[in-house]
Amino acid sequence: MAPSIPQTMKAIQLTGYKKPLELNEVPLPKVGENDLLIKIGAAGWCHTDYQVWEGVYKSETPIIQSHEPVGTIVAMGPKAEKAGKWKIGQRVGYLLFRHQCHTCAACKNYDEIRFCQKADHAGLDADGGMGEYSIGDADNAVLLPDEVPFEQAAPLMCAGATTWGGLERLELPPESYVGIVGIGGLGG
Ligand SMILES: [Zn+2]
Ligand SMILES: [Zn+2]
């Protein structure tokens, strides 16, 4: 049976730069055709979120912060459902970038969501994961292993992914020693 989904939810919003964050009752996010609706298990607050709080990116407020959310899929849009990659009840996380357009000049040249001119960015120019529910992009979500608890998985969605990206490019053989500068920050 599909889980019952409320009309509103509690979310932590930034309502003005450098102001205390507020816990507010807000409408549930709209589920787009390729979106996953995720019941949030945990959401990290990255240094970029701190900069959003400071007003560095001139984000429109109110905004729900966090681009490091993880949780459980409770619903999905028709395109995501048809693609068959995701199922209700799966534990997932999503990364900062969502909704690649596949048609802008950058997409045509690189077909890479990070360069898309029309993608949105959770917690920067669109609501992020610090609510009871959040929208993940079916094309940019990751499946979580059952043994990784939500609170450990959340910071992997940005800080951990960034550090892992560097390690992957090194193509190190197994059991190599590496030093990571910034453990506790980008070290995850
Ligand atoms: Zn981040
Ligand atoms: Zn694009």
Side-chain angles (χ1 to χ4, degrees):
M1 208 179 90
S4 69
I5 298 161
Q7 300 290 308
T8 62
M9 65 175 190
K10 288 198 167 56
I12 296 172
Q13 286 184 313
L14 174 68
T15 57
Y17 305 142
K18 299 186 180 177
K19 282 175 60 180
L21 298 174
E22 290 179 21
L23 182 63
N24 291 327
E25 191 80 20
V26 299
L28 230 67
K30 274 204 173 67
V31 183
E33 60 169 9
N34 199 37
D35 284 340
L36 309 174
L37 182 64
I38 298 166
K39 187 171 195 331
I40 293 298
W45 201 72
C46 169
H47 184 252
T48 304
D49 290 310
Y50 177 71
Q51 291 176 311
V52 170
W53 179 83
E54 282 186 309
V56 171
Y57 303 109
K58 308 271 182 278
S59 302
E60 269 183 45
T61 57
I63 188 168
I64 300 170
Q65 295 208 276
S66 178
H67 51 272
E68 296 181 335
V70 292
T72 308
I73 300 173
V74 292
M76 63 184 91
K79 190 178 168 198
E81 198 166 350
K82 202 169 165 211
K85 184 180 175 189
W86 300 109
K87 292 190 200 77
I88 306 289
Q90 280 178 318
R91 299 166 77 247
V92 294
Y94 71 75
L95 308 174
L96 168 65
F97 305 91
R98 295 181 300 198
H99 306 128
Q100 185 180 3
C101 78
H102 298 286
T103 56
C104 72
C107 279
K108 281 189 176 144
N109 281 321
Y110 307 108
D111 198 25
E112 159 62 60
I113 195 168
R114 282 176 295 176
F115 302 124
C116 175
Q117 292 156 344
K118 292 181 185 163
D120 69 61
H121 307 83
L124 270 89
D125 53 24
D127 280 335
M130 263 192 192
E132 290 178 294
Y133 295 84
S134 181
I135 291 299
D137 183 329
D139 291 337
N140 201 29
V142 289
L143 185 65
L144 302 180
D146 285 343
E147 59 271 27
V148 180
F150 283 139
E151 68 275 18
Q152 287 182 18
L156 299 178
M157 296 303 118
C158 174
T162 305
T163 311
W164 176 252
L167 287 171
E168 208 173 26
R169 277 174 187 77
L170 286 173
E171 295 180 8
L172 296 165
E175 299 186 29
S176 301
Y177 285 95
V178 292
I180 300 173
V181 178
I183 289 274
L186 277 185

